[in-house]
């Protein structure tokens, strides 16, 4: 049976849309495979890592009929990538194997039984669904995801807090040293307040898959939440993920409200200055000193080899003189992930956290703790 017959670019695009969560080495070998289910002319592809499951349906030619199997996802993608985009490729069954053909090339691939593929057990108690434009969610994820913790023992920090209430969607991420908060007003009312923690891997996969197309007919993503699961439906795909259990820190207490000193300056010049001075920091100690005084911002760094860097920016500032140290990576991260021309920094003194935001815009806040230098 010919399971599929289409151009390489079509087949590759469908496979890549589901294969992001597949790990080459897994304790269960079958999880390195993609589950292929043919029903009539429709082909359904499913991947899983036991915590996330992605499924998509496409029509990719071939014979009509019913058939299921599993085949190595990464190997299939690696082979397809070596073929021209406009070349017709086919996947055919042959006993317990699959034959991939393209031009004069032929590959015989091993399969594993479809009935052994561990599908994620979907919750029976998903709440009401609501939809938002994919671009809105992708933009919010991009504004906060760099602040997620990586393999922190406090597992609830290895992800993003997702809060939907009324007509507002807010995302928060923190690793304990910095915190990013971004919010957007929706065109729809969320039926009931939703507050969940999406795992890091889910966040990265959503960022990869979501469209950032804008305009009148921009694609949407439909969301549903249960106590331990989230379900996203978009672009012909169904994405089910486990949620992170635990209590996320009270981010409202972390965001400073009454800092008395504020400086507004160009994002690009500040980023360039920090990147220059970061060269003279050591790999282990990424500290830079910021000295803010009326009219001037100085950025300085040094390292164990007694090397130093000093950079100066002219600023429109008339507040207190403040000297404060930061991990330069945390400042570079936020400025790199912002697109605005101007950035606002609120400071209190050398020992209090700083607040980075967008002038005249309340939709984004970034808090960074100082470090002793």
């Amino acid at each position: 049976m010919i399971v599929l017959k289409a151009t390489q670019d079509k087949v590759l695009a469908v496979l890549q849309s589901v294969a992001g969560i597949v790990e080459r080495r897994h304790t269960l070998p079958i999880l390195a495979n993609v589950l292929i289910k043919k029903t009539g002319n429709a082909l359904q592809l499913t991947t899983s890592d036991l915590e996330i499951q992605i499924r998509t349906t496409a029509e990719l030619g071939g014979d009509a009929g019913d058939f299921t199997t599993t085949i190595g996802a990464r190997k299939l993608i690696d082979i397809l990538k070596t073929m021209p985009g406009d070349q017709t490729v086919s996947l055919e069954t042959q006993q317990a194997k699959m034959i991939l053909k393209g031009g004069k090339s032929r590959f015989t691939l091993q399969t594993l039984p479809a009935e052994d593929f561990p599908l994620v057990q979907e919750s029976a108690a998903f709440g009401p669904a609501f939809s938002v434009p994919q671009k809105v969610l992708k933009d919010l994820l991009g504004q906060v995801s760099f602040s997620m913790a990586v393999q922190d023992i406090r597992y609830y920090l290895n992800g993003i807090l997702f809060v939907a209430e009324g007509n507002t969607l807010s995302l928060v991420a923190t690793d304990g040293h910095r915190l990013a908060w971004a919010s957007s007003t929706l065109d729809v009312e969320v039926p009931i307040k939703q507050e969940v923690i999406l795992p890091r891997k889910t966040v990265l996969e959503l960022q990869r898959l979501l469209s950032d197309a804008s305009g009148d007919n921009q694609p949407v993503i439909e969301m549903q939440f249960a106590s331990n699961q989230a379900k996203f439906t978009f672009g012909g795909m169904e994405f089910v993920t486990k949620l992170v259990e635990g209590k996320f820190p009270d981010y409202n207490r972390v965001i400073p409200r009454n800092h008395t000193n504020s400086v507004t300056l160009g994002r690009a010049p500040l980023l360039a200055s920090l990147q220059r001075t970061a060269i003279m920091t050591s790999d282990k100690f990424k500290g830079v000193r910021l000295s803010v005084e009326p009219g001037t911002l100085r950025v300085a760094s040094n390292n164990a080899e007694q090397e130093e860097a000093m950079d100066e920016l002219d600023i429109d500032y008339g507040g207190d003189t403040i000297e404060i140290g930061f991990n330069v990576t945390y400042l570079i991260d936020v400025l790199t992930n912002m697109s605005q021309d101007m950035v606002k920094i609120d400071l209190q003194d050398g020992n209090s956290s700083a607040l980075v935001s967008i002038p005249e815009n309340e939709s984004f806040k970034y808090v960074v703790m100082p470090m002793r230098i």
Side-chain angles (χ1 to χ4, degrees):
M1 179 185 183
I2 300 174
V3 179
L4 64 83
K5 189 171 186 178
T7 55
Q8 178 266 8
D9 53 0
K10 268 190 175 177
V11 179
L12 186 60
V14 173
L15 263 170
Q16 286 179 322
S17 70
V18 296
I21 60 169
V22 175
E23 291 163 20
R24 288 183 190 270
R25 291 181 179 84
H26 204 288
T27 47
L28 281 177
I30 198 164
L31 289 177
N33 286 14
V34 55
L35 173 64
I36 298 175
K37 185 179 182 182
K38 180 103 174 175
T39 310
N41 290 315
L43 196 67
Q44 189 183 75
L45 303 180
T46 307
T47 54
S48 171
D49 68 355
L50 297 181
E51 300 207 336
I52 304 171
Q53 179 175 291
I54 304 179
R55 176 177 287 153
T56 190
T57 303
E59 292 208 359
L60 294 173
D63 299 335
D66 296 351
F67 172 77
T68 58
T69 192
T70 78
I71 186 169
R74 295 285 183 196
K75 204 170 282 180
L76 202 52
I77 286 172
D78 289 346
I79 294 168
L80 286 167
K81 279 181 175 175
T82 65
M83 297 177 172
D86 56 356
Q87 186 175 81
T88 298
V89 297
S90 67
L91 197 60
E92 302 172 22
T93 61
Q94 188 181 83
Q95 289 144 349
K97 292 186 168 64
M98 298 287 282
I99 311 296
L100 177 66
K101 294 178 182 175
K104 293 185 177 179
S105 305
R106 176 189 167 103
F107 301 85
T108 305
L109 295 159
Q110 189 59 261
T111 64
L112 289 170
E115 54 269 23
D116 294 347
F117 193 86
L119 293 169
V120 170
Q121 188 69 42
E122 285 190 30
S123 169
F126 277 110
F130 65 98
S131 299
V132 303
Q134 290 187 37
K135 180 173 170 50
V136 169
L137 182 56
K138 186 166 187 169
D139 287 351
L140 289 175
L141 289 169
Q143 289 178 72
V144 303
S145 60
F146 61 88
S147 293
M148 289 187 291
V150 182
Q151 295 181 325
D152 197 293
I153 193 166
R154 298 161 294 180
Y155 51 89
Y156 50 83
L157 298 185
N158 301 318
I160 281 181
L161 179 69
F162 188 108
V163 185
E165 184 176 17
N167 65 345
T168 305
L169 177 59
S170 304
L171 270 59
V172 192
T174 179
D175 60 7
H177 304 287
R178 41 143 172 212
L179 178 145
W181 172 92
S183 179
S184 181
T185 303
L186 307 176
D187 295 332
V188 296
E189 285 276 333
V190 179
I192 52 173
K193 184 181 179 182
Q194 313 276 357
E195 191 164 327
V196 299
I197 305 173
L198 299 178
R200 178 184 179 83
K201 191 172 179 181
T202 297
V203 170
L204 299 177
E205 200 57 24
L206 282 173
Q207 284 183 281
R208 187 179 76 86
L209 294 171
L210 288 170
S211 162
D212 52 12
S214 54
D216 294 340
N217 296 316
Q218 56 183 310
V220 299
I221 176 169
E222 184 180 277
M223 312 180 210
Q224 281 180 285
F225 298 99
S227 59
N228 63 343
Q229 260 183 2
K231 183 196 267 185
F232 302 99
T233 311
F234 59 100
M237 304 184 72
E238 186 185 272
F239 189 118
V240 178
T241 175
K242 274 189 180 174
L243 297 172
V244 179
E245 294 177 19
K247 183 81 176 99
F248 201 82
D250 182 356
Y251 58 93
N252 283 311
R253 287 179 54 195
V254 176
I255 298 172
R257 308 281 176 200
N258 304 311
H259 280 3
T260 49
N261 299 287
S262 177
V263 55
T264 300
L265 71 166
R267 181 186 65 85
L270 176 58
L271 176 58
S273 176
L274 290 166
Q275 287 169 331
R276 282 192 292 272
T277 47
I279 296 166
M280 289 300 171
T281 61
S282 58
D283 289 340
K284 284 186 180 175
F285 187 74
K286 288 291 198 181
V288 293
R289 283 189 316 280
L290 268 60
S291 300
V292 189
E293 58 186 64
T296 305
L297 168 66
R298 289 189 190 86
V299 185
S301 65
N302 55 40
N303 58 30
E305 285 81 46
Q306 255 80 68
E307 296 171 324
E308 296 180 355
M310 168 74 81
D311 209 62
E312 202 169 285
L313 295 171
D314 294 331
I315 55 172
D316 182 11
Y317 176 73
D320 301 338
T321 297
I322 296 171
E323 187 156 309
I324 188 168
F326 292 109
N327 180 323
V328 70
T329 307
Y330 296 162
L331 296 177
I332 288 173
D333 280 350
V334 66
L335 296 172
T336 304
N337 284 280
M338 293 171 77
S339 57
Q340 291 76 14
D341 292 337
M342 304 298 286
V343 62
K344 181 183 174 193
I345 303 173
D346 291 341
L347 300 163
Q348 184 62 29
D349 52 47
N351 302 312
S352 302
S353 58
L355 175 65
V356 179
S357 58
I358 304 162
E360 313 298 327
N361 188 329
E362 289 294 310
S363 70
F364 174 77
K365 291 181 170 63
Y366 179 78
V367 184
V368 57
M369 301 294 289
M371 69 186 291
R372 293 186 185 279
I373 295 179

